[in-house]
Amino acid sequence: MRDESAARELPESAKRADDGKATDDGKGADDGKGAVDGKAAVDGKGAVDGKGAVDGRRVAGESRAADGSRAGGGLRKVPLSRPERRAELFDAVLEVLAEVGYERLTFDLVARRARAGKATLYQRWPSKAHLVVAAMERYRPEVGEEDAGSFVEDVRGLLTAYIAGWSGLDRGLLIAVLEGSRRDPELARLRRERLAAPVRRSIESAFDRALRRGEIPDRLDAALLVDLPFAVILSHALVKDESPGQELVDRFVDGILGPLLDVPNARPPGT
């Protein structure tokens, strides 16, 4: 005969994990593994919104509660209109983007990392392309159009400003945005208009001044000359996995650009 006490306990055990709540005094189901949105994790790997972990690893935000808050804390009740709060959000966007890539970045992951409401994010940014570009635009290098008196020195100043804010995240961000641009036309358009175009306008202005001063020989391909400086920086970052610094800027300006333009007073590389 079946044990009646066990029978009485069965309905109670069937209530476990209802509506996504944790079981066994706040721990996950049976073996203590956590669950997100009420679904148990597999082999200790987290799930996000009921989906499997990315590449079998725990991803940003998966250890947070399903309502978007960090474990042990709720949403940050600071409006996004405040600059410091928006900076926190954009930092979270870039961190998640560098970790999981553009394709796997979601508003859910960002909301959890930033402890923000997902609906609030959608109200301000209609798509993840807009959100990502807004975050990257905040850290876009400030390259002005100051006239240093010569093209080589204008380029030196532009490249110095371009690398000034370079960080360890930048390579991952560049790869994520370039890869995402292949699949998302909206991201590709916003990247060109709001990230690449302002930088290119600065060097085009420097080139136009150099033309008026007669610094650019007619034999040179103008379009490629404008592309060249930043191509060198990005090559070192993306291909060589090196953080570009002032030494690289000076090597390019004094060892390549100056001699190419027959500038008589170009500094020897390394001085």
Side-chain angles (χ1 to χ4, degrees):
M1 179 179 296
R2 186 176 60 177
D3 188 340
E4 291 299 322
S5 64
R8 286 192 300 271
E9 292 175 359
L10 181 59
E12 182 63 28
S13 65
K15 296 177 182 178
R16 292 181 179 178
D18 280 353
D19 64 27
K21 295 180 180 178
T23 64
D24 297 339
D25 61 27
K27 297 179 181 177
D30 298 331
D31 57 359
K33 297 171 183 175
V36 179
D37 292 342
K39 299 187 179 180
V42 179
D43 296 333
K45 298 170 184 175
V48 179
D49 295 337
K51 299 178 182 178
V54 177
D55 295 337
R57 297 188 297 267
R58 298 181 70 84
V59 297
E62 63 141 13
S63 62
R64 293 157 175 81
D67 65 355
S69 63
R70 290 182 184 271
L75 300 180
R76 287 266 286 140
K77 301 298 184 181
V78 180
L80 288 174
S81 57
R82 296 182 61 172
E84 65 275 15
R85 179 58 176 140
R86 186 168 294 210
E88 289 178 356
L89 171 68
F90 287 157
D91 285 342
V93 172
L94 298 183
E95 288 170 5
V96 175
L97 178 62
E99 290 170 12
V100 305
Y102 182 78
E103 289 296 313
R104 290 170 174 163
L105 182 143
T106 65
F107 274 72
D108 287 305
L109 287 176
V110 172
R112 290 168 186 164
R113 177 66 64 90
R115 296 167 61 189
K118 185 170 67 172
T120 302
L121 300 185
Y122 275 116
Q123 289 173 357
R124 292 177 175 269
W125 297 280
S127 69
K128 72 175 180 179
H130 282 86
L131 178 59
V132 165
V133 171
M136 296 195 70
E137 191 173 32
R138 175 174 178 265
Y139 294 100
R140 188 186 67 208
E142 293 295 332
V143 287
E145 298 186 7
E146 294 81 6
D147 186 352
S150 69
F151 186 62
V152 293
E153 293 307 320
D154 281 344
V155 170
R156 192 192 309 276
L158 290 173
L159 294 182
T160 298
Y162 186 70
I163 66 170
W166 204 272
S167 73
L169 286 175
D170 288 328
R171 183 174 187 270
L173 294 175
L174 286 171
I175 292 173
V177 171
L178 290 174
E179 179 62 22
S181 295
R182 293 195 312 116
R183 299 174 179 270
D184 187 340
E186 183 179 39
L187 176 64
R189 176 182 61 81
L190 291 172
R191 178 182 60 82
R192 288 193 302 268
E193 293 176 358
R194 292 166 53 179
L195 299 178
V199 176
R200 186 173 181 85
R201 282 196 296 270
S202 295
I203 196 167
E204 286 176 343
S205 295
F207 182 82
D208 289 342
R209 292 194 298 269
L211 282 177
R212 292 194 294 270
R213 288 192 293 255
E215 296 178 74
I216 309 299
D218 293 337
R219 67 181 184 277
L220 293 184
D221 186 313
L224 289 181
L225 183 61
V226 169
D227 288 337
L228 185 58
F230 294 102
V232 170
I233 298 296
L234 293 176
S235 173
H236 276 254
L238 295 174
V239 179
K240 294 188 174 183
D241 194 14
E242 297 176 357
S243 294
Q246 190 62 45
E247 180 184 3
L248 176 61
V249 171
D250 292 337
R251 282 179 58 199
F252 170 76
V253 172
D254 300 320
I256 298 295
L257 188 60
L260 182 66
L261 299 179
D262 296 323
V263 177
N265 59 345
R267 299 185 312 188
T271 62

